[in-house]
Amino acid sequence: MIYLDNSATTRPYEDVLQVYTTIARNYFGNPSSLHTLGMESENVLVQAKKRLGAFLHCATDQIVLTSGGTEANALAIHGSVKRKPGAHIITTTVEHASIYENMQLLEQNGYDVTYLQADKYGFITVEQVKKAMQSNTALVSICHVQGELGTIQPIDEIGDFLQHYPQVKYHVDAVQSLLKVPFSINHAKVDLLSLSSHKIHGTKGTGMLYVRNAKSIDSLYRGGEQEQLIRPGTEHVAGAAGFAKALGIGAKKLETEPVRLGNLQKRLFLELKDVDGIRINSPLENVAPHIVNFSIAGLKAEVLVQSLAQKNIYVSTQSACSVKSGKPSRILLGADLSKEIAESAIRISLSFETMEEEIETCIQAIKSIVPKLQEVKSG
């Protein structure tokens, strides 16, 4: 099996699974309980947060554990503007569904949302943010790495600009950039930042929201005092420990793996662009090293996905949160690309476990399959 859908989810490391099962079995106490079992679980949770905080260079009380990146994004967005009805918000046309759909919900409830128009590669600029600012702007929310195209947004420059507007909360979705594209919460001067465990070989069901000041956002829920009163409910101790373990394993590979993935990506760019009918949608520069997006003129993306799956090669069409809609990629349409390009878009996404021979096999399979599909289409 050749698995190349790592932007949707990654296979958990064996060491992560071992940590997860050990913690789930031996530290099952509620970390809020006052007895010994509870205190032992709480200690595991604290240690996991310390490791997460050490990587981000933040305090443990600035970490709010969530069920994943989607919940972290929702908490950041709604929590930032809950006390500001009708406020103005800035985001982009190429955000993940967990941001875009929450923005639409806020619009339905009287908020004013500006969607910055991305260019054909998914980029937005600091100048666009500057021009969109209003006197009642309360939040700027933007992804660091666009999950379908791989576009790297200028989060540091935006953060510098927003220092002139202390009343504006700055949220960055870094789910797709963690361990792939360097970032710093201090350089970007973010107030809020979302991460997810299962994108870096951790387990599903665990994410986190970095919150610079816990008092600056409101909880969306009631029912407990956990996570600085922002996210009530019994914490997922085993998931947090697995997240910290996955991050620790990945951090040791940072000197070599992103560069290696970049070389594999360049190989894909080089080979695919020479296949008749294929258009590369990802930018060739300022792009995350693990994402390649391309379209095949006249072919539905699902046809190639299924043809590759028959050879045990697994790729995707768009973000996993949107793929079952049956509609063209909203992200590519948001980048002002045509419906035909959006309907035929394929995403190949790599991980630290992707091998060179797997990429070569995938390239040869595409080169073999695409002409046959085009022949059937034209016939």
Side-chain angles (χ1 to χ4, degrees), residues 46 48-51 53-54 58-64 227-228:
V46 169
K49 283 190 172 186
K50 283 183 177 180
R51 290 193 288 273
C58 72
T60 57
D61 62 3
Q62 292 177 308
I63 293 172
V64 175
E227 300 304 296
Q228 290 72 254

Side-chain angles (χ1 to χ4, degrees), residues 246-278:
L247 190 58
I249 293 172
K252 294 177 181 177
K253 302 179 180 183
L254 282 177
E255 290 188 7
T256 59
E257 287 305 289
V259 173
R260 188 181 69 84
L261 292 187
N263 290 332
L264 295 180
Q265 180 190 57
K266 290 175 183 176
R267 177 71 176 167
L268 281 162
F269 284 155
L270 182 66
E271 295 288 343
L272 293 178
K273 72 179 180 64
D274 288 336
V275 177
D276 187 43
I278 285 185

Side-chain angles (χ1 to χ4, degrees), residues 225-251:
E225 298 182 357
Q226 294 92 343
E227 300 304 296
Q228 290 72 254
L229 299 174
I230 295 173
R231 206 272 188 176
T234 303
E235 295 95 339
H236 189 184
V237 178
F243 192 0
K245 182 66 175 180
L247 190 58
I249 293 172

